[in-house]
Amino acid sequence: MNNDKPAENATIKPVKNVSTIWFVPLIAVFIGCWMLYYQWSNEGTEISIHFSTAEGMEAGKTKIKSRNVDIGEISQIELNNKGDGVIVTAKIKKTAEHFLVTDSMFWVVSPQISHTGVSGLSTLISGVYIEISPGKNEAERYQFEALDAPPVTAVGTPGLHVTLNSNDQFAYSKGDPIIYKGLTVGQFEDIYFNFEERVVYYNAFIKAPYHQLITSNTKFWDVSGLQFDLNADGISIKTGNLETMLTNGVTFGIPEGMGVGDKIGERSYFDIYESYDAADDERYRHSIEFVVLVSDSIRGLSIGAPVEYRGVQIGKVKSTNMALTLSKNTLTKEDFKIPVLISLQPGRVGLPDNSNGKDIMAKQNIYWIKHGLKAVLRTGNILTGSLYVDLQHNQDQPVSVIEQYDEFPIIPTSSDDFSQITAKAEQFMDKLNNIPLNNLSNNANQLMLEITQTAKELQGVSQNLEGLLSQVEQQHLSAELKKTLQGINSLTQDLSSGSPGYEDLRTTLNTLTATMNELKPLLNQLKHKPNSLVFNDGDTAEPMPTKRNGAQ
């Protein structure tokens, strides 16, 4: 049988060329790329820091911190090309990239002990780490030079930076204090010596709000340790505070009588003076000079010694070695006087501290010199022997012409009272030396011999006289004793029994006894009746004893 059936139409479907299983690796690749991107985006910025040594640092372990918070980590440590340092490569987190500016500072934190205190003790357990002090600049930077020590003042600390300089032998160290009225208000930060100027410059920082005290008239002076000052005014001891007694330090202020001054800007320059007095003297900018020719010794007269007028300081000694006219080729036949240069400052006497004040003071002193102004060296302190120059008036010694020493007018001199006393004492000693003491000594020796001989002769005469007196006294004593014995013998004979004297004495005693017997009744009456002499009752009989009741 022929079973012919019509054929059904076939359904045609497209064949899938990519299987869904391939999405798994694609997703894995995507995740991997995302992880790489995430790692790259959060890996941070790479920087390099130059250190002098890598002591205590390890790659992959040593952290970079800011205020004790991790912001990065060291990834590599290698020597630099010259071999005199190391280059440390580190990664800084994205959150701290804004710290990477030009004025940021890096340093290694490790245990340190100094006069300012102890720091970094936590690193004894955790190990060293790198600290960053973020800067305030906006310019980015990725290569840095590390500091050898932590900065004294962190960047951005409110206050004022100043530069102090000194050509004296002051030695300040990093971290030494700057004090004001006993309070530590700042510190020395950096030290730089200028070889060309031979001056030491110190970068210092004054903390807020004390930086407002610094003006154009502010003066800085040294207060290191204990300062002993022996001068014409006596002995003085000065110090700053306990910290400056152990280390060095400076203080500042405005000298008395000066104005407050104008405000200043950053990095202004100030000089460091030896003391407050030196800082105070510096404000007197103008002065006039005179020369004093001294015929006495100037030992004890130092540069800076005061020049006074009636007890008020008007200047100071500027030089004690001005032998300008002493010839080098010929001998000086006359006595040479020592020229001393003094400077008188108009600002000290209330005159303007300018050229006008100089002219007024110069005219005044020239007038006084013509009318007898004299300069005298006086002893300011007996213990130290310090001298000062005293100006006084001697109106009886005027001068018509003022002499000149080089270009400076000369103020005539006179000796002080102490020098006059010394001169008189020297004259007395000279006269005493001229006395012929040898002849006087010989005469005195001869006189002593004669006195000794005379004394011996007087001693012999005294012995003879003493013997003679002894004999006389013995004879006189014998005669007196004989008379006394004779008197005693005669008295004994007169009182012997049967002698008239004995009978008289016996009669006298009997009479006295009878008289006492007669007075006995009167005495008995007065005993019993004391008023019987005034109120007499006529009864003169003696009272008879009677028998009392009960008597046997």
Side-chain angles (χ1 to χ4, degrees), residues 2 62 79 82 87 108 121 130 152 162 166 168 179-180 185 275 322 330 346 362 422 458 462 526 528 545:
N2 187 7
T62 302
L79 288 173
K82 295 182 179 180
I87 302 296
V108 175
L121 293 181
I130 299 175
V152 176
V162 295
S166 171
D168 210 332
I179 67 173
Y180 181 77
V185 299
S275 62
M322 288 188 59
T330 59
T422 304
L458 288 175
S462 176
L526 291 175
H528 293 87

Side-chain angles (χ1 to χ4, degrees), residues 464-483:
N464 295 333
L465 182 61
E466 184 178 356
L468 180 60
L469 291 175
S470 178
Q471 294 177 1
V472 172
E473 289 179 356
Q474 290 177 359
Q475 293 176 0
H476 180 72
L477 181 62
S478 298
E480 292 292 333
L481 182 60
K482 185 177 180 180
K483 289 181 181 180

Side-chain angles (χ1 to χ4, degrees), residues 315-347:
K316 59 184 178 180
V317 175
K318 196 171 183 179
S319 175
T320 58
N321 187 17
M322 288 188 59
L324 301 177
T325 60
L326 183 61
S327 175
K328 298 180 180 179
N329 299 323
T330 59
L331 297 177
T332 301
K333 297 181 180 180
E334 298 180 355
D335 182 20
F336 181 77
K337 296 182 178 181
I338 304 298
V340 176
L341 180 65
I342 63 174
S343 65
L344 307 182
Q345 297 153 334

Side-chain angles (χ1 to χ4, degrees), residues 519-533:
L519 291 174
K520 184 177 180 182
L522 177 62
L523 294 175
N524 289 331
Q525 181 181 355
L526 291 175
K527 179 179 179 182
H528 293 87
K529 293 181 179 182
N531 60 350
S532 60
L533 293 179

